[in-house]
Amino acid sequence: MAQLLSAKRIVLGLTGGIACYKSAELTRRLQDQGASVQVVMTDAACSFITPTTMQALSGQHVYRETLDATMDNSMAHINLSREADAILIAPCSADFIAKLAHGLADDLLSTLCLARGNCPLIIAPAMNREMWAHPATQRNIKTLLADGVAVWGPGDGEQACGEIGSGRMLDVPELIEEAISFFTPKVLNGVNILMTAGPTEEAIDPIRVISNRSSGKTGYAIAEAAQRAGAKVTLISGPTALTQPYAVDILPVRSARQMHQAVMSQARHHDIFISVAAVADWYIKNSSDRKIKKTEGGGFPTLEFAPNPDILAEVAAMENGPWPIGFAAETDNLFEYAEAKRQRKKLPLIVGNLAQEVMDKDTTRFVLFADSGVTEMPSAEKTAAASALIQEISRRYHSR
Ligand code: C5P
């Protein structure tokens, strides 16, 4: 698995809240991404999860006392943040938010936050919806935001107390996405990106379709990478079995003609268009509204095909349209076919790959074709390849 938090040192602070149960899993998933996790707990947090659990999972001593004798200079409140890339307090209680807002320092965690210097501080609030909505908490959050503290969440939904509303801590996958985003350079800040991904389906009848073998993995990975790099991403997706990328607007479609309509209604509002979808070349002109029945003794329906609109070529031909990027999946002659496609559709950039190397796989190898020449990128997991591609796209877009 590509590690997107490689070598990041995170101080994970736990304060009192039932959401402490998520912090155990969070520790593991941060480590999966290559981060090291140093846990600090308040006394209240220890009522919800034990330091022993957190020590076993993090593989490091858990700090609780302001004057911790296990450190040579007994100054955990200074040392911990000096060695960290970020302090993440998850869960962060209403009480702890109030403490941070007022600069209180009456335990190790609050003291180390006050003494953190340039080390970024992030909080993931977790509390009852009334506590979150209370003007005092909202005032304190405003103060923290003004102080440069990052606030992740809270999420909406069912709470431990049985009430429903805003205040629950984000779930672990969401926190991991926020963490990866946090450490990703914002090379596409303020850029609006429109994308297509996945296959399209062309109906034969209400039950049967003609489609292709695109999983959507490459397109979804690129959408995630662009979002992490600061872009606002709208993804028009054909049917896939993938989970929705975090913080990306998804417009689901089925057929190429639906995808065409969705793209054309969005294109004007975007700066870049990345066309990753494997769009069916034809639709079935004589598709049936009812299931076509098998006839006794054989006989087959005759399907009449008609060409689908070329969405990418149409966007590329728009006056003042978004900067268009195409994809070309080929089984052979990649260099010749991809460049020919780029010329035909009048694209500044096309990304080629060999279908047999990428289909149903978690790795990919991109070859970029542009006026300036051909760039071969190394084979990598789709997430890592997508991040590298987004760097390239950003560089080329900003110097176009
Ligand atoms: O024309 P061809 O399918 O070979 O070109 C591939 C590129 O064109 C991809 O970027 C694909 O998303 C886009 N495309 C499209 N509409 C079509 C066919 C392909 O946008 N009808």
Side-chain angles (χ1 to χ4, degrees):
M1 190 181 93
Q3 295 190 315
L4 301 174
L5 296 172
S6 176
K8 293 288 179 240
R9 295 156 305 177
I10 294 173
V11 169
L12 177 62
L14 275 64
T15 69
I18 191 66
C20 277
Y21 81 92
K22 296 183 185 176
S23 310
E25 179 75 10
L26 177 61
T27 301
R28 275 285 193 244
R29 300 290 80 84
L30 286 169
Q31 289 168 332
D32 288 348
Q33 293 290 344
S36 67
V37 181
Q38 169 62 70
V39 176
V40 177
M41 295 173 73
T42 64
D43 286 346
C46 298
S47 305
F48 291 91
I49 190 165
T50 68
T52 315
T53 301
M54 295 309 295
Q55 178 164 331
L57 293 173
S58 67
Q60 302 202 53
H61 175 69
V62 170
Y63 289 93
R64 296 169 57 192
E65 309 293 338
T66 312
L67 298 172
D68 192 302
T70 60
M71 278 197 175
D72 286 347
N73 64 359
S74 301
M75 290 201 194
H77 68 288
I78 307 293
N79 305 346
L80 291 176
S81 69
R82 297 300 179 272
E83 291 158 7
D85 293 298
I87 303 168
L88 166 60
I89 303 184
C92 192
S93 65
D95 176 64
F96 203 79
I97 288 171
K99 267 178 158 174
L100 289 173
H102 292 88
L104 297 187
D106 61 356
D107 61 8
L108 173 60
L109 190 57
S110 53
T111 311
L112 92 88
C113 288
L114 201 61
R116 75 183 184 281
N118 290 329
C119 181
L121 175 60
I122 305 152
I123 61 166
M127 66 200 72
N128 166 270
R129 65 191 175 105
E130 296 292 0
M131 295 170 78
W132 173 250
H134 196 283
T137 304
Q138 290 304 311
R139 232 177 6 250
N140 291 333
I141 287 288
K142 267 201 196 117
T143 303
L144 293 185
L145 288 170
D147 287 350
V149 175
V151 180
W152 295 350
D156 291 328
E158 198 170 327
Q159 303 203 297
C161 52
E163 294 181 8
I164 294 172
S166 185
R168 67 199 297 277
M169 185 163 90
L170 293 185
D171 287 326
V172 173
E174 296 170 313
L175 290 171
I176 294 294
E177 263 307 319
E178 291 283 0
I180 294 169
S181 239
F182 184 81
F183 287 111
T184 305
K186 296 288 172 271
V187 293
L188 287 175
N189 231 359
V191 178
N192 291 319
I193 297 188
L194 180 64
M195 288 188 58
T196 63
T200 62
E201 278 179 357
E202 306 304 328
I204 297 173
D205 65 21
I207 292 164
R208 304 179 183 95
V209 297
I210 289 183
S211 188
N212 58 60
R213 290 177 50 208
S214 166
S215 66
K217 277 185 190 166
T218 300
Y220 277 49
I222 294 168
E224 270 173 0
Q227 186 276 329
R228 288 169 184 157
K232 190 175 172 320
V233 182
T234 306
L235 175 61
I236 297 171
S237 176
T240 74
L242 303 174
T243 43
Q244 187 166 334
Y246 186 64
V248 164
D249 281 339
I250 285 235
L251 300 175
V253 295
R254 289 208 166 265
S255 69
R257 283 173 299 160
Q258 286 172 353
M259 185 173 273
H260 173 250
Q261 216 175 23
V263 168
M264 296 324 286
S265 71
Q266 291 284 330
R268 288 250 168 262
H269 315 296
H270 291 82
D271 307 303
I272 298 178
F273 175 56
I274 313 179
S275 183
V276 195
V279 185
D281 291 313
W282 314 284
Y283 72 95
I284 295 149
K285 226 164 104 180
N286 59 340
S287 64
S288 167
D289 293 342
R290 294 171 165 218
K291 185 178 175 187
I292 302 170
K293 300 305 288 176
K294 252 189 301 192
T295 45
E296 287 287 327
F300 309 102
T302 307
L303 303 180
E304 274 179 56
F305 289 92
N308 273 322
D310 189 321
I311 306 168
L312 176 58
E314 214 172 298
V315 172
M318 276 170 71
E319 226 173 283
N320 301 320
W323 199 61
I325 301 168
F327 266 71
E330 302 292 346
T331 53
D332 48 310
N333 290 336
L334 174 66
F335 285 68
E336 188 191 322
Y337 292 159
E339 180 57 21
K341 208 169 276 191
R342 187 177 84 83
Q343 304 279 348
R344 194 170 63 245
K345 301 198 188 206
K346 299 193 172 58
L347 305 172
L349 178 62
I350 198 161
V351 183
N353 49 30
L354 282 170
Q356 59 273 30
E357 279 184 6
V358 302
M359 270 179 20
D360 298 329
K361 305 236 162 62
D362 288 323
T363 54
T364 190
R365 192 163 62 91
F366 294 138
V367 185
L368 310 190
F369 299 83
D371 284 341
S372 56
V374 177
T375 311
E376 292 189 65
M377 297 177 69
S379 173
E381 280 184 40
K382 284 181 179 171
T383 42
S387 306
L389 179 63
I390 283 299
Q391 299 293 320
E392 278 288 334
I393 289 176
S394 157
R395 194 174 58 74
R396 289 162 191 250
Y397 171 71
H398 286 115
S399 61
R400 74 197 182 285

